Amino acid sequence: MSKRKLELDALLELGTRDALRQAMRQAAPPMLTQIEQITERAAEMSPTMVELRLGVVHSYTSELLDPWLVLAGALEGLDVRIYHAPYGLNLEEADTRSDLVAHAPDITLMLLRREDLHPDLARPVAALSPEEQSVLSSQALERLFAVIGAFRANKVGNLVVTILPGLNGPALGVYDPQAERSEAAWWSALKADIGRRLRVGVEASLFLDLDEVLAQIGREAFFDPRLWYSAQFPFAAPAAHEFSRRVVALGAAMKFPKAKVIALDADNTLWGGIIGEDGFDGIALGHEYPGNAYMAFQRRLLDFQQRGFILALCSKNNPADVEQVLNDHPHQILKPGHFAAIRVNWEAKTDNLVALAEELNLGLDSFIFVDDSDYECALVRRQLPEVEVIQISARPVEVPSCLDRVSRLELLSLTAEDLKKTEMYAQERTRQQLRQSAERNGGLEGYLASLEMVMTVGIDDPAPLKRLSQLTQKTNQFNLTTRRYDELHMRRLIDASNWMVGYFSLKDVFGESGIVGLALFDHSAPTVAELDTFLMSCRVIGRKAESAFFNVLLKRLAAAGVREVLADYLPTPKNGLVTNFLPDHGFAVDANGRFFRDLIATPPLPDEAYPMAIEVAGEAAGSELGQLA
Amino acid sequence: MDLFEKLQNVIASTLKVTPDKITRETLDKDLVAWDSLAHVNLMMGLEQTFDLFLEVEDFTQLTSVPAILEYLREQGKA
């Protein structure tokens, strides 16, 4: 996309990091001499920067990326501290006593060249027969995963693997895509294998595809052959800029509250023009410019829904006008069912955002607010600083890509639950309606029974590892201790014989919740268990699921000989919801100020005490508690 | 700003040193920060600031303030 020249003075005038980031996204990369000024300006803005520790393992020059990485970090509010391992793919760094491990990186970035995967990759892949190519793939994978495994075995944070694209196109030139020995096809298949193996076999790992950076900025803008041949540094400024942005985006996704909701304005955002003034037939939405840009943006929003973000509508309009477009406009792509919640009225947008957060049971810091108006954007930035604001460009051509470089919309993992999220929120809306009518005729108990709930509890089951770790990262409200666990750590707890890791999912007449609750018990002591973590997604609140789940786990502990359970409530600004959870579940405060429950005096209840069927599944062999209970 | 001052600023910002460390006589070996990697950044900084295109061969010649000043004058940047 054609970029505008960077206006340094105007840039330095901007007041917030999100405004600065957005201006940078739309401009050409800064000059090296400008980087420092922009970095300093971004660094001094509030909130105070959070440290992001980066380790770099590299088989080509990486140090020249530093100013770009530090700039990208400052724009996100991340103070990037970089350690470069000695040059070369050095397995000595994959050691508990290495300088890399001592740096305690949040992310270890592996910068590999193609030939690091296999010496034969320095020669044309097209020279090999299909059989030889397939042998080469398996050997290259084996070699790569031996290196990855060696690093993964150490505390090096999230592993981000990259492979530098070729400086030149494929050996067979323009004919390559048609050739049986196509190099591009061979690389695509290899990348898919790498992605698959990282997904299933290597925790906390990610393949950052540099071919995507190459596709975005073009081969000629990506490589500077002068720097490559004279200093083994491949990246020209646009590549260094974009690559660093992507690396830091992963850091932002790790370090900051998870984004969950994209709250969208309607006029000049989902369509061009103002429905209240231009009318149903006057708004720009269709196959001609500028309506096609808004259609493209709506289509792009469906992509973000696939990443697990939910959409909400927040518009100042007459509700009937907006409803008419959503339901009847022939080119409107997003229908009412695509939105998890809708606020169309004349109230202040800030009030509507707060109301949306309440309705969805999510914190405001999980909101990304998208609006074209200077006034609304400034108001939200000032009144609700925890909301990230994306101001839609007044140039329609820039609208479809306006969310493409928002770091918190990048994923570190994707679970089955993410894909169904909007559907689940829509089901929740229906449930609420049923609940209100049931409460009018016969009360909560009747309503809960009418849901025909089935709870499935899993114990020490590593299969949903990603989701379990994600729950500790994302759950802020219904969470007793707010302890965060990455996948590696979670895996260790699941495997440990002295820990019990329990989770549950809930099914009812409307659908499946996916995994929504997690509890971690440390039962190292013979008769005492400690509750380390108890959390639940707010999606299933108000259905007695938390009590039923807790009871099932306490029953298993009691059956295994545990007589007393210790627990803590660690208050945060967000978890006031669970202040009374422990007292409500038979816990008293002991002499040390900790909560305890005597399982002999206050034994767990039979399953029938709860308004749902309860099944226990997914027990891993080797879990002593699983076998005993 | 004269040519030297402009150059002084480019060197200072790409090498991350204060401008007063750079005189009209400074050689690369006078500054610890002016190592081979920083030199690459300096070359890119020169290109951008003075709107030049440098060849790899120029990289190896432009290793001192006097050499760079002379090159800039030859290129009509004075």
Side-chain angles (χ1 to χ4, degrees), chain A residues 389-400:
Chain A
V389 175
I390 305 295
Q391 184 166 8
I392 283 261
S393 171
R395 303 172 72 208
V397 293
E398 290 178 348
V399 169

Side-chain angles (χ1 to χ4, degrees), chain A residues 31-33 61 64 226-227, chain B residues 13 37 40-41 47-48 54:
Chain A
M31 299 200 290
L32 274 170
T33 48
T61 302
L64 292 172
R226 295 171 304 163
L227 303 188
Chain B
S13 74
L37 283 175
V40 175
N41 265 341
E47 282 195 337
Q48 292 167 345
L54 299 172

Side-chain angles (χ1 to χ4, degrees), chain A residues 41-52:
Chain A
R41 176 78 187 106
E44 72 194 14
M45 289 173 166
S46 66
T48 313
M49 296 214 285
V50 173
E51 203 170 73
L52 177 71

Side-chain angles (χ1 to χ4, degrees), chain A residues 259-442:
Chain A
K260 297 173 190 173
V261 186
I262 303 175
L264 296 148
D265 176 33
D267 291 330
N268 284 319
T269 299
L270 295 183
W271 51 76
I274 296 169
I275 183 67
E277 292 173 11
D278 301 313
F280 187 85
D281 297 318
I283 55 171
L285 186 64
H287 295 296
E288 307 287 322
Y289 178 83
N292 54 3
Y294 292 96
M295 270 183 86
F297 181 47
Q298 292 201 22
R299 205 170 294 124
R300 187 65 173 146
L301 286 165
L302 294 177
D303 292 344
F304 288 103
Q305 216 169 30
Q306 286 307 303
R307 294 187 199 180
F309 297 100
I310 60 175
L311 305 181
L313 191 60
C314 184
S315 158
K316 271 188 186 165
N317 262 312
N318 291 324
D321 292 346
V322 172
E323 265 167 44
Q324 193 193 2
V325 180
L326 295 189
N327 288 312
D328 303 331
H329 198 289
H331 302 298
Q332 173 69 21
I333 294 171
L334 299 175
K335 302 290 176 188
H338 287 107
F339 296 97
I342 294 177
R343 280 288 179 289
V344 181
N345 54 41
W346 296 98
E347 308 295 317
K349 294 241 171 166
T350 44
D351 292 343
N352 278 325
L353 287 171
V354 171
L356 284 168
E358 277 168 10
E359 176 178 341
L360 295 168
N361 251 319
L362 294 169
L364 278 167
D365 59 6
S366 66
F367 275 63
I368 308 253
F369 174 65
V370 185
D371 201 301
D372 66 299
S373 144
D374 287 329
Y375 168 80
E376 305 291 3
C377 289
L379 181 72
V380 173
R381 279 183 177 131
R382 197 174 61 234
Q383 308 271 36
L384 305 173
E386 62 271 53
V387 174
E388 181 166 350
V389 175
I390 305 295
Q391 184 166 8
I392 283 261
S393 171
R395 303 172 72 208
V397 293
E398 290 178 348
V399 169
S401 60
C402 73
L403 295 176
D404 283 8
R405 299 187 189 185
V406 177
S407 300
R408 288 165 71 225
L409 295 176
E410 294 294 349
L411 303 179
L412 302 171
S413 66
L414 188 63
T415 64
E417 281 80 5
D418 293 326
L419 298 174
K420 292 191 297 187
K421 209 173 279 171
T422 298
E423 201 182 312
M424 290 189 283
Y425 277 99
Q427 288 165 4
E428 185 56 27
R429 237 190 309 177
T430 322
R431 254 179 230 118
Q432 292 295 344
Q433 286 157 5
L434 178 64
R435 175 175 191 152
Q436 281 158 9
S437 77
E439 279 176 358
R440 280 193 298 272
N441 348 296

Side-chain angles (χ1 to χ4, degrees), chain A residues 74 76 390 432 450 483 576 580 616:
Chain A
E76 294 287 350
I390 305 295
Q432 292 295 344
S450 75
R483 295 189 173 113
N580 295 317
V616 179

Side-chain angles (χ1 to χ4, degrees), chain A residues 30-34 36 61 63-64 67-68 224-227 229-231 233 237, chain B residues 9-10 12-14 16 37-38 40-41 44-45 47-49 53-56 59:
Chain A
M31 299 200 290
L32 274 170
T33 48
Q34 298 171 325
E36 203 174 356
T61 302
E63 289 82 354
L64 292 172
W68 299 99
D224 187 331
R226 295 171 304 163
L227 303 188
Y229 293 111
S230 73
F233 183 67
Chain B
N9 285 337
V10 180
S13 74
T14 50
K16 305 236 177 317
L37 283 175
V40 175
N41 265 341
M44 295 300 103
E47 282 195 337
Q48 292 167 345
T49 309
F53 183 85
L54 299 172
E55 299 295 343
V56 175
F59 293 6

